Amino acid sequence: MLTQEEILEIRKDFPYLSQEWDKKIVYLDSAATTQKPQGVLDALTDYYKFQNGNPHRGAHYLGQVATEVFEEGRQVVADFIGAKSPNEIIFTNNTTQSLNTLAYILGLNKVKEGDEIVISILEHHSNLIPWQYVAEKTGAKLRYIYIDKDSKELREEDLDQILSEKTKILALTASSNTLGTLPKVKEIIQKAKAKSKDIYTIVDGAQAVPHHKVDVQDLDCDFYAFSGHKLLAPMGIGVLYGKEEKLNDLPPFFYGGEMIEYVYEDHSTFLKAPMRFEAGTQNVGGVKGLVAAIRYLQAIGLDEIDAYEGQLTQYCYDQVKDMDFLDLYTVKNNHRGSVITFNLEGIHPHDVASIMDSYGIAIRSGHHCTQPLHRYLGINASCRASLAFYNTREEVDQFVTHLNDVRRMMGLGSK
Ligand SMILES: Cc1ncc(COP(=O)(O)O)c(C=O)c1O
């Protein structure tokens, strides 16, 4: 298990966490985006200083170097998530683009009236609205698996009732950004495949990949999406994994440079995956940054990160769970994502977040892009503190102490 001394050493790798800025904050919003270590920043500038060319185009030196950076990055990502082949890795901007791409290439081509698309009430809007769109366009039915309001786990009975031979798409989060619930994705996929032979399974891994080891072959999902910026990498680089034969059975979405075989005046033929889905100039610098981020996480060890974050989140959970002025929404199961989501009685979440900000503590307030989930829980909004392996126990203590101060500031007094 990582010690506090080791965490303090790790923090030195992160400029924001280790230097004195005008406004130094306790950063508890890593589920929104993570801070970046110096190695990732160096990788980015290195690329633009010494390797900047347009990949897959031109025979000159820099064009070749950029191609190597890009394609080696594909292999690193494939190994990182346990893909069979680098051809199964498509670079996108982020999870949202990965899931929307699937809605267009898969949803609009393979789903028809009478089919069912199954998602859960935990889904981030990025894994919900695209499926609403597909349902509306195709006449398919969008169905939800709900959670138990007490435990915050997916309801087994819903799974049994809803999954059927009509299920064409199952799109599930691997880790809820709002409640920290970790659905048993592997078992659910197995169950769904047993009921429907023709099913496509999709996992939103935006909040899973930064915190736990992921093996897409073990999960046996058909598609998996995640964002670089939530795992220490720059913004603007994301990944869509797909089983090779499934990808090659789908049409392109964006059309343009470097995704074609032959172009005639009246028609064109296209390359296979992944190039088929990567039209236009790609974010090679972002790929290099993503590789640096993956290497950084691997050097610490995903299992170490998982264990430390689990313990830190539990430490926080234990301190807030008995506060009688706090409604806690985080999943009860201590095998969870690193989020503590709550409301302070009688205080609007935005007021809580603003006052916490005045104490130098960055937490999120709002609906966290999960409006249907909030509505299901009977609330409009909530506050969320999200932890990463670079957070310390001392930071959690400051967070907890200042929750009491928020009440005082609002004239409610501490309990
Ligand atoms: C579970 C989940 N899915 C999807 C997304 C969308 O990620 P991005 O904004 O990087 O596309 C997020 C972002 O918070 C998320 O938490």
Side-chain angles (χ1 to χ4, degrees):
M1 173 77 72
L2 289 162
T3 62
Q4 288 302 288
E5 291 70 36
E6 284 169 322
I7 300 300
L8 294 177
E9 280 305 304
I10 283 171
R11 288 172 73 87
K12 292 182 184 162
D13 297 335
F14 290 76
Y16 193 87
L17 302 176
S18 59
Q19 292 173 27
E20 289 302 327
W21 304 105
D22 286 354
K23 182 159 167 113
K24 174 113 190 194
I25 59 170
V26 172
Y27 188 71
L28 302 182
D29 198 17
S30 292
T33 197
T34 52
Q35 295 303 325
K36 317 299 176 201
Q38 188 62 47
V40 167
L41 306 178
D42 290 345
L44 257 189
T45 44
D46 230 50
Y47 172 74
Y48 284 109
K49 273 182 178 166
F50 307 118
Q51 297 174 310
N52 181 39
N54 202 323
H56 300 301
R57 296 149 172 85
H60 62 70
Y61 172 75
L62 279 179
Q64 285 173 32
V65 171
T67 305
E68 274 165 29
V69 171
F70 194 61
E71 291 307 326
E72 281 168 20
R74 208 189 292 284
Q75 182 67 61
V76 170
V77 172
D79 294 341
F80 180 57
I81 61 167
K84 232 187 234 168
S85 151
N87 293 340
E88 300 183 318
I89 304 299
I90 296 159
F91 288 116
T92 63
N93 293 337
N94 49 37
T95 309
T96 303
Q97 193 194 339
S98 300
L99 293 167
N100 273 273
T101 300
L102 277 182
Y104 280 91
I105 62 177
L106 174 68
L108 296 189
N109 284 293
K110 299 288 184 187
V111 176
K112 54 183 189 332
E113 197 172 349
D115 288 341
E116 293 185 351
I117 300 169
V118 176
I119 63 175
S120 85
I121 196 68
L122 294 171
E123 303 312 315
H124 186 282
H125 295 164
S126 296
N127 196 32
L128 190 157
I129 310 170
W131 304 118
Q132 284 180 341
Y133 177 74
V134 172
E136 191 189 306
K137 288 283 171 200
T138 60
K141 187 170 174 190
L142 182 62
R143 302 197 68 185
Y144 285 83
I145 302 165
Y146 292 93
I147 54 168
D148 179 277
K149 284 188 180 166
D150 181 45
S151 69
K152 313 293 194 307
E153 303 281 359
L154 290 187
R155 291 196 323 208
E156 291 285 332
E157 62 269 32
D158 283 13
L159 284 164
D160 291 335
Q161 264 173 26
I162 289 172
L163 294 171
S164 76
E165 70 286 349
K166 289 189 191 161
T167 312
K168 192 71 178 190
I169 288 185
L170 170 71
L172 263 194
T173 183
S175 177
S176 159
N177 61 311
T178 300
L179 303 181
T181 311
L182 304 180
K184 293 181 186 126
V185 172
K186 181 177 171 178
E187 286 158 40
I188 298 171
I189 287 174
Q190 274 170 2
K191 196 176 259 192
K193 285 187 171 171
K195 293 210 177 183
S196 172
K197 279 195 285 322
D198 241 3
I199 194 172
Y200 293 90
T201 56
I202 298 160
V203 179
D204 172 356
Q207 297 294 344
V209 169
H211 306 283
H212 324 281
K213 248 187 203 152
V214 169
D215 184 333
V216 289
Q217 285 190 69
D218 182 53
L219 287 177
D220 199 22
C221 55
D222 297 317
F223 301 97
Y224 195 100
F226 65 95
S227 300
H229 72 94
K230 293 187 194 287
L231 78 149
L232 315 183
M235 292 188 177
I237 186 71
V239 172
L240 171 59
Y241 156 85
K243 283 184 180 164
E244 198 166 355
E245 72 280 8
K246 299 259 156 114
L247 285 173
N248 284 325
D249 183 41
L250 296 172
F253 175 44
F254 288 114
Y255 296 87
E258 290 309 312
M259 47 77 73
I260 52 88
E261 234 173 11
Y262 299 105
V263 180
Y264 304 93
E265 285 194 25
D266 59 348
H267 76 282
S268 304
T269 59
F270 306 111
L271 293 172
K272 290 194 162 180
M275 302 281 286
R276 170 186 301 203
F277 303 106
E278 291 177 349
T281 299
Q282 297 294 303
N283 183 359
V284 188
V287 169
K288 184 153 177 165
L290 177 59
V291 168
I294 289 172
R295 296 281 188 235
Y296 185 89
L297 291 169
Q298 287 174 329
I300 298 173
L302 259 302
D303 288 341
E304 291 282 326
I305 287 172
D306 196 3
Y308 174 74
E309 286 183 355
Q311 199 201 51
L312 190 68
T313 308
Q314 189 62 38
Y315 177 67
C316 190
Y317 184 92
D318 286 341
Q319 293 197 63
V320 298
K321 76 173 191 305
D322 296 326
M323 287 179 163
D324 53 7
F325 56 86
L326 184 145
D327 293 326
L328 183 59
Y329 308 116
T330 297
V331 66
K332 284 190 170 161
N333 188 338
N334 64 6
H335 180 52
R336 58 165 85 88
S338 312
V339 294
I340 299 291
T341 303
F342 61 96
N343 272 322
L344 296 193
E345 241 170 48
I347 312 178
H348 194 281
H350 285 328
D351 289 336
V352 177
S354 300
I355 298 171
M356 290 298 267
D357 183 58
S358 73
Y359 294 120
I361 299 187
I363 61 166
R364 178 84 180 263
S365 57
H367 50 65
H368 322 305
C369 301
T370 54
Q371 278 186 13
L373 174 61
H374 275 76
R375 209 167 285 121
Y376 179 73
L377 293 173
I379 52 178
N380 287 324
S382 58
C383 302
R384 180 188 72 186
S386 55
L387 307 171
F389 62 93
Y390 46 61
N391 289 121
T392 61
R393 282 181 163 236
E394 194 196 325
E395 287 181 315
V396 168
D397 292 340
Q398 287 180 45
F399 162 72
V400 172
T401 302
H402 287 306
L403 285 180
N404 280 298
D405 295 335
V406 172
R407 279 183 59 81
R408 255 199 308 280
M409 183 89 109
M410 295 299 288
L412 294 167
S414 60
K415 282 198 179 177

